Amino acid sequence: MNLEAARAALRDARRVAVLTGAGVSAESGIPTFRDAQTGHWARFRPEDLASPDAYRQDPDTVWEWYAGRYRDVLRAEPNGAHYLLAQLEGLKGNGFLLATQNVDGLHARAGSQRLVELHGNLLSARDEITGEVFALPDPDVLETPPVSPNGHRMRPNIVWFGEFLPEDALATASEAFASADVALVVGTSGVVYPAAGLALETLRQGGVVIEINPEETELTPLLSFSVRDVASRGLAALLGQAAS
Ligand code: NAD
């Protein structure tokens, strides 16, 4: 398949499923874990903090890291890729689903609504006793660890290493990928579950899977077509638009 054919497949598709990873927010200045060199990202190794064990041992440090990331994502702005995906949703309507592994809330801020957040998000926290989710206050007044309106300590509303993805979010994503005419895999390395599984489901059902990533990934050899570019330009090329 070439770019022309990929564009035509996307244009004609009635059902479109999209999976995004950290790369889609790189142009908004939010580093992928792998690329992180500065700030909270360099001081801490995610794998040392993003786990139930780390939280049990040192909730203050874990919360310090998440509060810093929360502040960072609120300062960031959605980029062209986030907006183009919101626009694609507008074109496809009910036949569209965006599943993101990102926790930065930028897709929602760009207007995406048919959206499932597979790994939770940084803008909310979860009551440790009841499991209820509450929006965090403004970072300037956030005290960590935060306490829920029920008076219980809250944990970050994030799926940590070793935890299961929320069942309903994963079921919604699996269904959309299994029935998609075209699936897009944008800014994710494809090695981490569920990226590979979702894309392969689309292929198994005879759908087309298009990757957008400046680098080759482990999924690349299996897919129908790869746009070897950053997310904003790659999506603009696929949608037949000039990149913003
Ligand atoms: P990842 O699997 O999400 O890898 C990032 C991918 O993005 C790589 O394949 C890289 O080639 C690609 N990429 C880099 N710049 C890009 C660009 N401008 N356009 C398109 N693609 C680009 O791995 P990770 O970063 O280690 O993340 C692991 C987990 O942590 C994932 O769940 C991820 O979503 C999450 N995470 C989320 C955020 C966020 O919410 N913004 C940031 C870091 C990590």
Side-chain angles (χ1 to χ4, degrees), residues 20-27 30-35 41 69 73 100-106 119 122 161 186-192 211-217 229-232:
T20 61
V24 88
S25 294
E27 293 169 79
I30 300 175
T32 64
F33 284 161
R34 208 172 5 151
D35 298 338
W41 305 84
R69 292 180 64 196
V73 300
T100 187
Q101 299 167 96
N102 292 346
V103 293
D104 54 34
L106 291 179
H119 291 173
L122 292 166
F161 291 110
V186 191
T188 183
S189 55
V191 282
V192 185
E211 170 184 63
I212 300 171
N213 198 310
E215 288 176 31
E216 187 164 330
T217 71
D229 206 341
V230 296
S232 63

Side-chain angles (χ1 to χ4, degrees), residues 58-83:
D58 190 352
D60 291 337
T61 302
V62 170
W63 261 115
E64 187 194 338
W65 186 59
Y66 278 105
R69 292 180 64 196
Y70 171 47
R71 183 179 292 274
D72 288 351
V73 300
L74 287 190
R75 285 194 190 126
E77 295 294 334
N79 65 58
H82 297 105
Y83 288 114

Side-chain angles (χ1 to χ4, degrees), residues 165-189:
L165 272 59
E167 244 173 68
D168 46 350
L170 189 55
T172 303
S174 299
E175 213 177 290
F177 275 80
S179 61
D181 304 312
V182 171
L184 306 181
V185 178
V186 191
T188 183
S189 55

